[in-house]
Amino acid sequence: MALVDYKNEMVLQRTQMVEKQLKSRSITDPIVLHVMELVPRHLFLEEGLGFRAYDDCPMPIGYGQFISQPYMVAYMTQALQLKRTDAVLEIGSGCGYQTAVLALMAKQVLAIEIIPQLREKSLTALTKLGLNNVLLKLGDGRLGWPEMAPFNAILVAAYSETLPKILFDQLAVGGRMIIPLGPENNQKLVMIVKDENGVQRRQILERCRFVPLVNG
Ligand code: SAH
């Protein structure tokens, strides 16, 4: 009984998260809103922190890493303008929550995480949810996944001082890439679009705060 109550409470909190943190800000894409309402974010947090999963802030996921604030996940997902047929590369999949959101919107998600324990835990959570269109590799995401390239979208969830050219080269023509660019205390969220005419680069958030994209 207690378990059922907890589950209902989480559903309620998720609905409120969508109303108060997403709809009231700039999230308007109905599919993004729907998916954020569906994915049980609390299952990706450490035991004992689940009850704070729907708070309007990032949360620790262990190993000095953080799950992004729900609004940030929704904002980046919306900006990627995913299609059902898209292949997405995610760098720094951490606890796997953003991976699950992407997996429900795209055809396939190729995710790379550098911390083995996070890879293991996120894989367990993603498998539990039955998301079988995700491949999650342990390794240095700065190298991308050349065998699976090109990608229609690339999402980098850790900041870099410069744009990693290798990742950009793995973007398909018509592809979109989102990456926080540093320095650490002055990070901007940047969107790169590759099309037939070349490359467009624009800032989509003036301020953001991510952990660093580390050397493998
Ligand atoms: N979207 C994730 C964010 C986790 S924080 C979530 O919601 O949980 C960023 C993640 O990037 C961390 O898990 C960190 O281990 C990972 N990371 C940092 N540098 C990396 C690299 N070079 N390759 C792959 N993952 C990296």
Side-chain angles (χ1 to χ4, degrees):
M1 182 61 186
L3 266 180
V4 171
D5 287 346
Y6 180 73
K7 198 174 167 198
N8 286 343
E9 172 61 22
M10 294 297 107
V11 171
L12 189 67
Q13 284 198 22
R14 203 148 64 237
T15 305
Q16 286 174 350
M17 171 193 85
V18 169
E19 291 298 323
K20 293 184 185 158
Q21 300 175 37
L22 309 185
K23 282 191 186 167
S24 65
R25 295 180 182 148
S26 57
I27 309 302
T28 52
D29 183 325
I31 303 177
V32 174
L33 291 167
H34 179 62
V35 167
M36 297 283 294
E37 180 129 21
L38 268 180
V39 179
R41 184 173 159 98
H42 60 282
L43 296 186
F44 292 87
L45 288 181
E46 289 179 72
E47 238 171 285
L49 276 184
F51 71 104
R52 294 204 51 201
Y54 302 99
D55 288 5
D56 192 10
C57 57
M59 292 293 290
I61 54 172
Y63 316 95
Q65 309 303 320
F66 291 85
I67 179 175
S68 298
Q69 177 192 22
Y71 173 70
M72 183 59 83
V73 173
Y75 187 83
M76 293 193 294
T77 308
Q78 177 170 270
L80 281 177
Q81 299 187 323
L82 295 174
K83 295 189 206 69
R84 208 68 194 96
T85 49
D86 281 348
V88 183
L89 176 68
E90 185 195 15
I91 310 295
S93 47
C95 70
Y97 172 67
Q98 170 83 72
T99 319
V101 170
L102 295 171
L104 286 174
M105 297 192 60
K107 184 173 181 196
Q108 196 178 28
V109 181
L110 293 310
I112 309 178
E113 171 54 50
I114 205 164
I115 299 180
Q117 295 91 332
L118 285 177
R119 182 193 174 262
E120 282 305 312
K121 282 173 73 175
S122 58
L123 206 50
T124 306
L126 291 162
T127 306
K128 212 181 213 170
L129 292 180
L131 293 170
N132 51 18
N133 59 338
V134 176
L135 284 181
L136 181 41
K137 159 167 114 164
L138 181 68
D140 184 354
R142 292 171 316 142
L143 304 175
W145 201 325
E147 311 89 288
M148 302 302 245
F151 304 101
N152 307 105
I154 300 181
L155 177 53
V156 186
Y159 84 88
S160 171
E161 301 268 345
T162 53
L163 181 67
K165 185 173 179 307
I166 298 181
L167 291 183
F168 174 75
D169 289 344
Q170 294 180 19
L171 202 55
V173 174
R176 293 85 56 204
M177 170 168 168
I178 291 181
I179 181 166
L181 291 178
E184 183 179 10
N185 294 318
N186 186 20
Q187 300 176 30
K188 317 277 185 197
L189 195 63
V190 172
M191 165 88 124
I192 317 275
V193 179
K194 194 193 254 189
D195 61 26
E196 296 85 5
N197 306 319
V199 184
Q200 297 164 39
R201 174 179 169 150
R202 75 191 154 88
Q203 185 179 301
I204 57 168
L205 268 186
E206 205 186 320
R207 287 161 65 89
C208 59
R209 185 141 189 114
F210 286 81
V211 296
L213 190 64
V214 298
N215 298 346

